[in-house]
Amino acid sequence: MRDAAIEREPHAIPTLDRNLFAIVCVVLALIFGCFVVGLNLAWTAMAGAVLVMVLARRDTHDVLKLVDWHLLVFFAALFLVVDGLSDTGLPDSIYRHLQPVFGSTAPAQAWNLTWFSAAGSNVFSNVPFVLVAGKWIARFTEPELMWKVLALATTFAGNLTIIGLVANMIVVESAREHIEVGFWDYTRFGIPITILTTAAGVAVLLALR
């Protein structure tokens, strides 16, 4: 491999379109403001996208070609399956069996929910796991704390393995033409990072509660 010559195609760096950049920045600020005041997330994001496309006056065909439709179908199917699973009553049945495991005090419930969320996020992915586990929070001793623990644990759990976070899978698939990222290549770094960050985060939440 020392004598191998790697030919790279020249990559043209596009010039900054200042007008488009300004439009995107303003629309992003508006979207963030709408999120803060509590408007519907989906419709706000859609409205922002439409506003950018209208103000930019670009050919929408070129823009829509960049959309990863396979990923959108994957997300849609994922949410349908999770919603169907919730309607079966299986999540509630699982919680009834696991309730004694979580403990009766807030610290015990926080730590047990943390490891359970980390494991569940890497089996089912964090988004569908949150949709199911979120229905259990009201039954804990301190629901407000448990919501924070669930948010923190499922977010950091995405660093554990490639399948723990949909964004990980998107990056790995996008980079496949340039580099192969194996499951264990990722996990050997993800395990210590996830353990340290999650433990520190839960400790802070318990200290500030």
Side-chain angles (χ1 to χ4, degrees), residues 95 99 102-114 139-142 146 149:
Y95 178 78
Q99 189 172 10
F102 287 116
S104 57
T105 64
Q109 291 178 348
W111 286 112
N112 287 323
L113 179 62
T114 297
R139 307 177 190 180
F140 286 96
T141 303
E142 296 184 23
M146 293 304 115
V149 170

Side-chain angles (χ1 to χ4, degrees), residues 28-142:
L28 279 176
L30 292 174
I31 291 175
F32 181 76
C34 292
F35 287 165
V36 171
V37 299
L39 296 184
N40 183 276
L41 298 179
W43 286 109
T44 299
M46 286 289 291
V50 171
L51 185 59
V52 169
M53 294 177 70
V54 171
L55 295 178
R57 296 180 180 179
R58 300 291 182 90
D59 186 355
T60 55
H61 293 86
D62 294 334
V63 176
L64 292 176
K65 288 179 182 178
L66 300 175
V67 176
D68 193 333
W69 298 105
H70 295 89
L71 182 62
L72 292 181
V73 172
F74 168 74
F75 268 113
L78 183 63
F79 287 120
L80 287 173
V81 171
V82 172
D83 189 59
L85 178 64
S86 299
D87 290 342
T88 63
L90 181 61
D92 293 329
S93 177
I94 293 174
Y95 178 78
R96 283 194 297 270
H97 287 84
L98 291 176
Q99 189 172 10
V101 177
F102 287 116
S104 57
T105 64
Q109 291 178 348
W111 286 112
N112 287 323
L113 179 62
T114 297
W115 70 258
F116 187 77
S117 298
S121 295
N122 283 276
V123 173
F124 305 104
S125 192
N126 60 352
V127 174
F129 177 80
V130 169
L131 294 177
V132 173
K135 298 182 179 180
W136 305 341
I137 301 300
R139 307 177 190 180
F140 286 96
T141 303
E142 296 184 23

